[in-house]
Amino acid sequence: MTSQHTRPAIVITGIRGRLARLVATRLMALGERVIGIDSRPFGTPPEGIEVHTLDVRRRQAEDIFRRNEISAVVHMGIVHSRRNTATVGHHFNVVGTQTLLDYCHRRNVPKVVVLSSANIYGPRPGNAQYLDEDTPLLAGETFHDMRDLIAVDMHAQSYFWKHPEIETVVLRPVHIVGRVQNAPSNYLSMSTVPTLMGFDPMIQIIHEDDVVTGIVRALKPGIRGVFNLVGPGAVPLSAMIDAIGGRRLPVPGLAFRLGTALLYRLRLTEFPSPELDHIRYVCMVDGTRSRKVLDFAPEHGIRETLTHLKTMRAER
Amino acid sequence: MTILGDILNTAKQNWDHLGDEVSGERWERILEHTRLSEFGYDAFGYSPDVVKRMLPLAAFLYQRYFRVRAQGMENIPEGRVLLIANHSGQLPFDAMMIVSSVLLEGTRPRMIRSMVEKWIPSLPFASTFFTRLGQVPGIPANCIRLLNSDEGILVFPEGARGISKPWEQRYQLQGFGQGFMRIALETGTPIIPVALVGAEEQAPSIANLESLARRLGMPSFPITPLGLLPLPTRYHLRFGKPMRFRGDPNGEDALILRRVNKVKDRIQQMLEQGLRERTHIFR
């Protein structure tokens, strides 16, 4: 134990998540020591990771920062499921982030990477085709449950001036696709995919491994700021469904909205009906900044990413 | 039955040859302007395949219905360019014909992207259809992005004020927006003034049911002779010499307006010239 403590470690919150584990594996392969935190109990934690099952809001979480030299924090312990988010999730996300960043400040952690999302710009009919990082975060305008994710992003941004000694990085990836459990991955891997009749917006997806690469790039000393993370390009939703081999089922807007709202109430779906705007309007981002500053370029093409999603789902 | 079959067959053959001008080398030149993904769409969702499928209809309207006479094609340069045109006729056939003229007859054929009303994306079907045809919601950031990749953009600075104006204001340019000039200054884009004579008479607005329009959320609800079908007036289309402007894109309104008015005056002159030279509305 004592020899381990002499090595600085990277803390990953939300380590039970699939993407977080991918980040941990990649960092360990690069020779880093990783400490994971998650409030959800773990079955068998991946080998080599020191895992703490606790809520970051609990005081004892700070012990991890007291007892170890922490070189960076990757904050992925953010709940994206919209159910109950108004109370439990909202508090967990907003207060959890604030508490975590306070530890970083008190314990002189030099680098914090927060995994936000490009969804917080919000799909809107008046959107420019490509939104840059300075675009106002308007997702909460029509979908109130997004407010906590916006608050998390903004809170992290406030550290740019509150604590300039910490290199804070906010990453806003487009729809992450792969083994991750999230709405776009679940949606695209349905065998019959309902779409909104008459709408076929351009969609951007990114391979989960490319997101991991983006996070690793963000950990490089000297990097700070907000970055959109963009995958291999944009394709109409219909072309994406065709490419993955799904069957499209166009449903009239009103029926879709009412149907989803009903199924959501009955807990038969996890898609809240305001999320339907993602298959109605564009919410696309410009990745110029991450390309220039992070030297980030996605390695996986669209077809490859979709094939990956399909294989991952078949294995489950 | 055989007679009807023959008629349908002839019609089909005629139809199949419409838009044949745009094939082979010409089509290749048009495609050169666009960066397409492996899926066949550009970054905005434009699909040349869909355009190609619509070409017979466009060619029919261009050659047979409105029998467009276009001049000044050679004025449209390679690279980034803003086409600034008068807007008229209640329904946007003018946009379709200006885009078609460059595809069918342009000295340097290319797809012109027009800036459409910002509320188009909220309409089912129309949103997708317009996107596939390369039309883009009229948001400055979109226009700047396209010009920076050297596209040609069509803008009607009069917007709904122009297309919905009543009969007694025909060929009188309405208030011009200033956005196009700020964008031209920012991106160093030459402006081609475009004047279209003929569309004004295709659907004279006899009355405008304003209260109904308001209720439907439309800019106007005109009563026209044939409803949605325009009269087969002849279109006279004129592309002027490039106009180049320099200055601060974030300058005062008054300074921008002075430059906007130069373009507007030019188009008004071209309209009047076109009207003088026209001998008949339909011929």
Side-chain angles (χ1 to χ4, degrees), chain A residues 10 19 22-24 26-27 30 72-76 111-116 167-174 176 206-231 287 289-300:
Chain A
I10 296 175
L19 188 61
L22 290 177
V23 175
R26 179 84 68 88
L27 287 175
L30 293 169
V73 168
V74 180
H75 183 31
M76 302 174 74
K111 167 80 85 179
V112 178
V113 176
V114 176
L115 189 72
S116 183
E167 284 177 6
T168 309
V169 182
V170 178
L171 295 179
R172 295 182 186 151
V174 297
I176 305 171
I206 186 168
H207 192 292
E208 51 194 0
D209 291 342
D210 283 329
V211 178
V212 175
T213 305
I215 291 170
V216 172
R217 292 280 163 87
L219 285 168
K220 246 176 51 184
I223 301 288
R224 61 169 76 228
V226 185
F227 300 94
N228 292 333
L229 277 189
V230 177
R289 192 187 288 175
S290 59
R291 197 171 60 237
K292 284 190 179 152
V293 181
L294 299 182
D295 193 22
F296 172 80
E299 274 177 38
H300 303 275

Side-chain angles (χ1 to χ4, degrees), chain A residues 126 129-130 198 200 236 286 303, chain B residues 38 43 125 128 132 139 142 145:
Chain A
Q129 197 82 21
Y130 290 88
D200 192 11
D286 179 288
R303 279 186 206 282
Chain B
E38 49 174 330
F125 303 104
T128 309
R132 296 293 169 268
I139 293 158
N142 287 346
R145 197 180 181 91

Side-chain angles (χ1 to χ4, degrees), chain B:
Chain B
M1 278 311 278
T2 47
I3 298 172
L4 184 64
D6 282 350
I7 294 174
L8 285 176
N9 253 335
T10 320
K12 187 174 181 322
Q13 276 166 17
N14 272 324
W15 180 261
D16 286 347
H17 287 293
L18 279 167
D20 271 1
E21 300 84 340
V22 190
S23 57
E25 201 199 339
R26 193 173 179 84
W27 184 244
E28 292 302 315
R29 283 178 71 186
I30 291 165
L31 288 182
E32 265 172 33
H33 278 275
T34 318
R35 276 235 311 270
L36 298 175
S37 71
E38 49 174 330
F39 292 83
Y41 301 90
D42 88 334
F44 282 71
Y46 153 52
S47 159
D49 282 350
V50 176
V51 169
K52 197 149 200 199
R53 281 207 296 277
M54 292 304 295
L55 265 175
L57 175 65
F60 169 75
L61 289 171
Y62 190 88
Q63 293 159 350
R64 311 274 169 89
Y65 201 83
F66 294 118
R67 296 149 293 136
V68 183
R69 281 197 186 135
Q71 49 180 301
M73 289 288 187
E74 67 286 355
N75 291 329
I76 306 172
E78 289 282 1
R80 63 187 68 182
V81 63
L82 269 167
L83 307 185
I84 305 296
N86 62 312
H87 207 11
S88 59
Q90 311 302 331
L91 284 167
F93 287 103
D94 49 358
M96 193 179 176
M97 291 304 101
I98 293 170
V99 172
S100 302
S101 72
V102 184
L103 286 175
L104 296 163
E105 296 195 275
T107 1
R108 287 171 277 268
R110 55 147 90 176
M111 185 64 196
I112 296 289
R113 324 285 295 262
S114 64
M115 293 278 127
V116 300
E117 289 285 353
K118 278 179 277 219
W119 44 263
I120 292 283
S122 52
L123 298 177
F125 303 104
S127 58
T128 309
F129 188 57
F130 277 53
T131 304
R132 296 293 169 268
L133 292 177
Q135 317 303 296
V136 180
I139 293 158
N142 287 346
C143 192
I144 290 167
R145 197 180 181 91
L146 286 165
L147 289 173
N148 282 336
S149 41
D150 285 331
E151 296 263 6
I153 311 283
L154 169 62
V155 176
F156 298 103
E158 298 169 274
R161 292 183 296 275
I163 192 165
S164 312
K165 65 182 175 298
W167 176 245
E168 61 273 15
Q169 287 174 18
R170 62 191 180 280
Y171 299 114
Q172 293 165 26
L173 291 175
Q174 306 295 302
F176 264 40
Q178 300 189 3
F180 79 90
M181 183 54 73
R182 293 187 187 276
I183 290 170
L185 293 174
E186 187 175 333
T187 55
T189 304
I191 287 173
I192 301 291
V194 181
L196 175 59
V197 169
E200 207 68 270
E201 292 87 358
Q202 71 184 12
S205 171
I206 300 161
N208 183 12
L209 306 183
E210 276 175 42
S211 61
L212 182 62
R214 260 200 306 278
R215 221 162 280 178
L216 295 172
M218 292 160 61
S220 70
F221 197 98
I223 299 299
T224 53
L226 298 181
L228 287 177
L229 193 68
L231 298 172
T233 52
R234 187 191 280 279
Y235 275 18
H236 302 264
L237 185 55
R238 208 176 276 260
F239 296 91
K241 291 246 183 292
M243 300 173 80
R244 288 169 213 276
F245 295 90
R246 283 216 289 219
D248 177 10
N250 298 312
E252 260 181 66
D253 271 14
L255 294 174
I256 301 292
L257 192 63
R258 205 179 301 160
R259 299 188 180 94
V260 168
N261 282 335
K262 279 191 185 156
V263 179
K264 190 178 172 184
D265 291 347
R266 189 79 247 285
I267 298 171
Q268 187 73 56
Q269 284 167 18
M270 287 161 62
L271 282 174
E272 276 152 24
Q273 192 184 350
L275 283 170
R276 274 197 305 275
E277 290 172 12
R278 179 169 74 165
T279 50
H280 195 281
I281 290 175
F282 293 103
R283 283 201 297 269

